[in-house]
Amino acid sequence: MSEQIKNYLGMAVIGFLAISAVAVLMFQNSYSRSIEPSSFRSFSVSGEGKVVAVPDVAEFTMTVISEGGKNLANIQKENSEKANRAIGLIKAAGVSDKDITTSNYSVEPRYQYSNCGGYGYDGRVCPPPEIVGYTVRQSVTVKVRDFSKTGEIISGVVASGVNSVSGLSFKVDDEDKMKNEARSEAIGKAREKAKAIAKAGNFKVGKLLSVVEDSGYNPIPYKYGIGGSIETASYEAPSIEPGSQEIRANVTLVYEIE
């Protein structure tokens, strides 16, 4: 009787070990699929979404350049007076303080070099370059939200003593909203494409494994620059047209094949 019990126990142990082995194999397979999801049973689709947006912000940079002798304080004072005068005109046109940003301020020395080529005629080494004056540059970036005033503002700051106006471009202020719309459209197109491929291939679309996005938009630059002497010149306000721009989103979806 004890021998028979031993046989039963041996068979039970063997059965338990077999079941455990199968369970381990199933777990390993499941874990492998979770960390390396359907590497040989997946497919990818891509979709593009596009939104045409009308810009609502015009942005440009104005620069005041002042040159003078060795009295740096006077040059800085002159530069600040011109920049402040231009900023005052911009604020008077209704531009908010938060839309006016000093983007650069620099002070650079100007040198005078000797013309003796490395050594003087009497064999002596030429003197080092001498500072003869300074150049002060101040750049201010401005955002204009009322396009009807953009041309007037640009002409006004030029007439007030600004040496250069450049980098005029048009942007969408709430760009994230437009990108979300384009992204939703892109994902919708990719999903439809996945269904069509699955139907043609006679399989089912499984779970979504990954999403990769590549999005961007095309800003519209508007070149406007002025050089030379401008203090006594008279300028007619330019006509500013913002046009439109496309905001795109491209997504790639990877699905499991069932």
Side-chain angles (χ1 to χ4, degrees):
M1 185 69 179
S2 60
E3 188 68 27
Q4 189 176 8
I5 293 175
K6 288 181 180 179
N7 291 336
Y8 285 146
L9 288 175
M11 292 175 62
V13 170
I14 293 173
F16 175 77
L17 291 175
I19 294 173
S20 298
V22 172
V24 169
L25 288 174
M26 291 179 64
F27 174 78
Q28 288 178 340
N29 183 54
S30 175
Y31 180 72
S32 175
R33 285 170 58 86
S34 69
I35 62 174
E36 190 67 33
S38 301
S39 58
F40 298 103
R41 291 184 53 81
S42 64
F43 72 107
S44 62
V45 289
S46 60
E48 180 184 65
K50 180 175 66 175
V51 176
V52 178
V54 177
D56 51 7
V57 175
E59 185 175 285
F60 68 89
T61 298
M62 65 178 188
T63 302
V64 179
I65 305 172
S66 302
E67 292 185 346
K70 295 183 179 181
N71 193 329
L72 180 56
N74 286 344
I75 306 171
Q76 290 178 311
K77 180 182 178 181
E78 175 193 339
N79 187 276
S80 296
E81 287 176 351
K82 289 182 179 180
N84 291 340
R85 184 161 59 244
I87 291 173
L89 290 172
I90 293 170
K91 290 182 178 180
V95 177
S96 172
D97 289 352
K98 66 182 178 65
D99 291 329
I100 304 172
T101 306
T102 300
S103 53
N104 180 63
Y105 187 92
S106 65
V107 177
E108 301 171 359
R110 290 183 292 110
Y111 295 94
Q112 181 177 339
Y113 296 86
S114 299
N115 254 340
C116 58
Y119 290 89
Y121 294 108
D122 56 0
R124 290 181 301 174
V125 178
C126 286
E130 179 186 0
I131 295 177
V132 295
Y134 292 92
T135 300
V136 177
R137 287 183 173 85
Q138 182 174 178
S139 297
V140 178
T141 300
V142 181
K143 292 182 179 179
V144 182
R145 301 179 186 275
D146 184 352
F147 287 161
S148 65
K149 297 181 179 180
T150 306
E152 175 188 343
I153 290 173
I154 289 176
S155 296
V157 298
V158 167
S160 73
V162 170
N163 304 79
S164 173
V165 175
S166 61
L168 178 60
S169 62
F170 299 96
K171 302 179 180 180
V172 177
D173 193 30
D174 192 358
E175 185 183 323
D176 289 339
K177 179 182 178 181
M178 297 294 141
K179 280 188 175 181
N180 286 337
E181 292 182 11
R183 187 182 299 111
S184 296
E185 181 181 337
I187 292 176
K189 288 182 178 179
R191 283 175 175 168
E192 292 302 316
K193 188 182 294 186
K195 292 178 183 178
I197 292 175
K199 183 177 180 181
N202 195 27
F203 61 86
K204 292 183 179 181
V205 178
K207 64 181 180 181
L208 181 63
L209 301 178
S210 69
V211 180
V212 179
E213 179 186 9
D214 176 21
S215 61
Y217 74 100
N218 301 323
I220 301 178
Y222 181 97
K223 294 183 179 179
Y224 184 88
I226 290 181
S229 177
I230 61 174
E231 293 182 0
T232 59
S234 176
Y235 293 94
E236 181 181 353
S239 176
I240 305 298
E241 301 295 336
S244 62
Q245 58 190 231
E246 292 182 350
I247 297 177
R248 292 188 178 93
N250 294 280
V251 298
T252 299
L253 309 181
V254 179
Y255 284 100
E256 182 182 15
I257 296 176
E258 286 189 354

